[in-house]
Amino acid sequence: MYTEKVMDHFENPRNVGELSNADGIGQVGNPTCGDIMKIFIKVDGDGGERISDIKFKTFGCGAAIATSSMVTELVKGKTIDEALSISNKTVAEALDGLPPQKMHCSNLAADALHTAIKDYKDKKYAE
Amino acid sequence: MRRVYLDHSATTPVCPEVAEEMYKYITGNYGNPTSVHYYGRQVRNAVEEAREKVAASIGANAKEIVFTSGGTESDNMAVHGIVYTNKNKGNHIITSAVEHHAVLNMVQALEKEGFDITVLPVDQYGMVNPEDVRNAITGNTILVSIMHANNEIGTIQPVEEISKITREHGIPFHIDAVQSFGKIPVNVDDLGADLLTISGHKVYAPKGIGALYVRKGTRWKQTLFHGGAQERLRRAGTENVPGIIAMGKACELAVADLQEESDHLRKLRDAVIEKVLNKIEHVRLTGHPAERIPGHASFCFEFIEGESMLLSLDMKGIAASSGSACTSGSLEPSHVLLATGIPHEVAHGSIRTSFGKDNTLDDVEYFVETMQSIVERLRSMSPIDQDFDSTCASCKEGKSCHA
Ligand SMILES: Cc1ncc(COP(=O)(O)O)c(C=O)c1O
Ligand code: FES
C-alpha cells in the first residue's frame, strides 16, 4: 500500500530527535486520527535566513513518520521563504504519493513545519 | 525471511484435511444439490452429511443448521430475521457496545427504520453485566444479541447467565460465536442460544462459508434473500458446496481436537502475556485477564501507534493486527477499545496477537524479542512519554481533536 520511498523513510527516518537550542518549535495534533508531530528548527541568520538544522518527533502511523522525515529532508538548508512554500502536496509527491486515506498525514508534516517557522518568527520579532 | 503468522482471529489457513475433502467437490462432484439426477443426489448427500457434522459440533440437530456465506451473513440474517418476524410483538433490540460490526451496523440500520435499540455498556474488561440485560428488557423487547467472545480483546461474555434472563422473559437470544467456536466448548443448550453464528474461516475452513443455528420452534424467518427454495426456504441461492463440505470437516476436526488445541493455545497466550508485560514498560493488556479465549492476547503499547508497529513487525515477518485509528479506514479507533474506557491516545497503540495450531513457544519468543526493539525504536521517535502534557493547550489543533 505504501511506495518504496515511504517505506524507506519509515525504516530509516532522517533527522529524528530534538534540538535543545531550537529557534522554533512546532507541535501539531492531527484532528483526523489523533496523531502528534513535533518539529524543531535551527535558523542561521547570516546571508538570509536559512534552516540550518531540523529534527522531528512523531507519534503516528507509518505515513506520519515518513512524511515527517521527508519534510525535514526537503527543508534542511533552505531559506525560510523556500520552506514556507512547502505544502502537504509537495511532501506527498516527494514520497511518490500516499494512499488516499493517508493524505491527511502529510498535512501534519507541513503544518508542524509552518508552526515551527511561525514560532521562530514570533520569538524573533518579539525581541 | 522467517514468517510468523499471529493473526488467527482475522483468518486461519485451510488445513490439509479440509482442503482434501473440499477438493473433490471442486474438481469431481460438481452437481447442483437441488438437481434430481445422479450428480445432484451425490452432492445432496454430502451436503447433508456436512450439516450433520456442523450440528453435532455445537450440540444441535441438523435441521437447525442453515449454511450461509459467513459470519456477517449469519449475524445479519439472525438479527434481521428475528426482528422482522416479530415486529408485531414489539420493536426493541438489546445488544452490546463491543459487538462485531456485522451485528452493530445491522442494528443501527434497523434503528433508522424506527426500531428501538439499547446498546449495553461494558466494564473495563469489555464484559457485559447480565443485570444490565435484565434491566434493559421491556415489554417491547424482541431480540437480545450478545457475542460469546470478542474478536478484538478476547473477552468471553457471560452468555449462560444472559440466556437464563432471556428465557425467563421468552425473548430470543442470538449469540455470535465466531471467535469462541473451536477454542472453547460451544454447545447451544449449555449456552442457552436460540440462534448462534459461526464462520468457517476462523476454524481452518475457507473464507465465504458460515452457518446459522436456529433453535427449533424459534419465531424466525429468513428475510434478506429472495430467490430459490434452497436450505428449506431459509437461504435462497445455490449452495456453496465446496465450502459446505469444508465447513463440515472443519467443524468435525474442531471438536475432535478441542481439548488439545485449547491447551496449546492457552499455553502460548499465557506465555506471550507474561513476557510482554514483564519485558516491556508502559503496556496494558486489553480485555479480560482470565476470561478470554485461548490463543488471544491483545495489548496497548503506550506512546506509539499501532500501524507503525504492524509495519515494523511485518518487516520482520510477523503478522499481527491493531485497532488503532490509523489502521481503521474510518480513522476512528476501535469501538471495542473505546467501550472499555481506554482513552483515544492509548487505543492508538493497540496490537492484537492471535495464535493458531501451527504456532510454537519459539514464535512467542521471536515476537516478544522483535517487539522489544520495535517499541524502543518507535518510542525514541515519539514526542510523547509519561510526562507528556496531553492537555489541549499544548497542542495547536487540540480543540478539534478527539481528546
Ligand atoms: C465476532 C465476529 N463476528 C462476525 C465476524 C464476521 O465473519 P465473516 O468474516 O465470516 O463474515 C467476525 C470476523 O471477523 C468476527 O470476529
Ligand atoms: S497520522 Fe494517523 S493515519 Fe497517518
Side-chain angles (χ1 to χ4, degrees), chain B residues 358-400:
Chain B
D358 296 335
N359 291 128
T360 61
L361 279 173
D362 216 35
D363 293 338
V364 170
E365 206 59 58
Y366 181 57
F367 167 75
V368 177
E369 250 170 50
T370 310
M371 205 59 208
Q372 276 178 287
S373 56
I374 290 171
V375 168
E376 194 181 327
R377 180 178 104 94
L378 292 174
R379 282 196 181 150
S380 75
M381 291 163 60
S382 172
I384 65 172
D385 57 26
Q386 63 271 34
D387 303 324
F388 185 75
D389 174 11
S390 62
T391 57
C392 291
S394 66
C395 166
K396 190 189 113 186
E397 267 152 325
K399 293 270 172 334
S400 53

Side-chain angles (χ1 to χ4, degrees), chain B residues 9-11 69-75 98-103 147-152 176-180 197-202 206-210 352:
Chain B
S9 286
T11 197
S69 71
T72 301
E73 186 183 316
S74 295
D75 280 342
V98 295
E99 296 305 303
H100 191 270
H101 282 128
V103 168
M147 72 204 317
H148 194 194
N150 185 270
N151 43 312
E152 293 189 47
D176 177 341
V178 168
Q179 291 290 340
S180 55
T197 288
I198 56 177
S199 174
H201 73 104
K202 314 286 184 180
K207 292 139 195 74
I209 182 71
R352 175 187 75 180

Side-chain angles (χ1 to χ4, degrees), chain A residues 1-2 7 10-11 13 16 27-29 31-36 38 57-63 65 101-102 104 111 115, chain B residues 303-305 307-308 311-312 315 325-326 329 331 344-345 348 377-378 380-384 388 394-397 400-402:
Chain A
M1 105 178 174
Y2 287 133
M7 288 311 292
F10 173 69
E11 237 182 301
V16 182
Q27 180 182 309
V28 295
T32 317
C33 63
D35 293 339
I36 298 170
K38 202 166 179 178
K57 280 203 156 179
T58 292
F59 167 47
C61 72
I65 289 172
Q101 79 276 18
K102 293 285 179 180
H104 73 275
D111 278 2
T115 310
Chain B
F303 322 129
I304 49 181
E305 189 280 321
E307 191 215 74
S308 57
L311 288 174
S312 310
M315 293 187 307
C326 302
L331 295 170
H344 185 283
E345 69 277 12
H348 230 42
R377 180 178 104 94
L378 292 174
S380 75
M381 291 163 60
S382 172
I384 65 172
F388 185 75
S394 66
C395 166
K396 190 189 113 186
E397 267 152 325
S400 53
C401 83
H402 300 264

Side-chain angles (χ1 to χ4, degrees), chain B residues 161-362:
Chain B
E161 284 176 61
I162 294 168
S163 69
K164 289 204 186 88
I165 298 167
T166 56
R167 283 278 157 84
E168 277 171 35
H169 291 82
I171 299 167
F173 182 30
H174 167 242
I175 301 177
D176 177 341
V178 168
Q179 291 290 340
S180 55
F181 180 69
K183 304 192 185 71
I184 55 175
V186 173
N187 177 292
V188 289
D189 290 336
D190 295 347
L191 299 184
D194 297 306
L195 301 102
L196 183 132
T197 288
I198 56 177
S199 174
H201 73 104
K202 314 286 184 180
V203 291
Y204 305 97
K207 292 139 195 74
I209 182 71
L212 176 64
Y213 157 81
V214 185
R215 182 176 295 278
K216 186 166 181 281
T218 306
R219 262 177 68 95
W220 173 88
K221 274 207 184 85
Q222 194 288 108
T223 48
L224 290 171
F225 287 72
H226 303 277
Q230 289 89 355
E231 295 292 284
R232 302 196 301 126
L233 290 171
R234 294 176 304 177
R235 206 288 196 170
T238 300
E239 296 86 341
N240 170 4
V241 174
I244 289 171
I245 303 302
M247 184 82 183
K249 187 67 188 175
C251 288
E252 184 181 55
L253 293 173
V255 280
D257 302 343
L258 184 62
Q259 192 59 47
E260 202 185 323
E261 172 95 351
S262 66
D263 288 348
H264 171 67
L265 294 178
R266 205 167 278 119
K267 184 180 74 187
L268 300 179
R269 174 196 72 188
D270 292 346
V272 79
I273 293 177
E274 196 257 329
K275 284 185 204 304
V276 165
L277 296 182
N278 279 326
K279 295 193 169 170
I280 304 179
E281 286 195 319
H282 304 293
V283 183
R284 24 181 139 170
L285 183 72
T286 60
H288 202 284
E291 295 297 316
R292 63 187 303 134
I293 35 173
H296 188 295
S298 52
F299 307 94
C300 283
F301 295 84
E302 291 185 50
F303 322 129
I304 49 181
E305 189 280 321
E307 191 215 74
S308 57
M309 286 185 263
L310 290 184
L311 288 174
S312 310
L313 284 167
D314 189 48
M315 293 187 307
K316 297 286 178 200
I318 299 173
S321 75
S322 168
S324 154
C326 302
T327 58
S328 73
S330 66
L331 295 170
E332 281 295 320
S334 138
H335 66 285
V336 175
L337 295 174
L338 295 186
T340 65
I342 289 175
H344 185 283
E345 69 277 12
V346 177
H348 230 42
S350 121
I351 288 289
R352 175 187 75 180
T353 56
S354 45
F355 294 82
K357 278 186 204 307
D358 296 335
N359 291 128
T360 61
L361 279 173
D362 216 35

Side-chain angles (χ1 to χ4, degrees), chain A residues 9 14-15 19 24 37 39-44 49-56 66-88 90-91 94 109-117:
Chain A
H9 277 263
R14 333 300 197 238
N15 307 307
L19 291 175
M37 190 180 297
I39 282 188
F40 304 76
I41 53 170
K42 185 88 197 117
V43 180
D44 192 342
E49 297 172 303
R50 271 182 199 282
I51 296 180
S52 56
D53 205 0
I54 179 162
K55 296 259 189 245
F56 82 88
T67 53
S68 330
S69 165
M70 180 51 94
V71 88
T72 63
E73 199 169 69
L74 286 173
V75 301
K76 201 166 178 176
K78 294 272 160 50
T79 65
I80 290 286
D81 285 342
E82 285 167 336
L84 280 174
S85 72
I86 284 175
S87 68
N88 63 322
T90 329
V91 180
D111 278 2
L113 172 68
H114 295 159
T115 310
I117 293 174

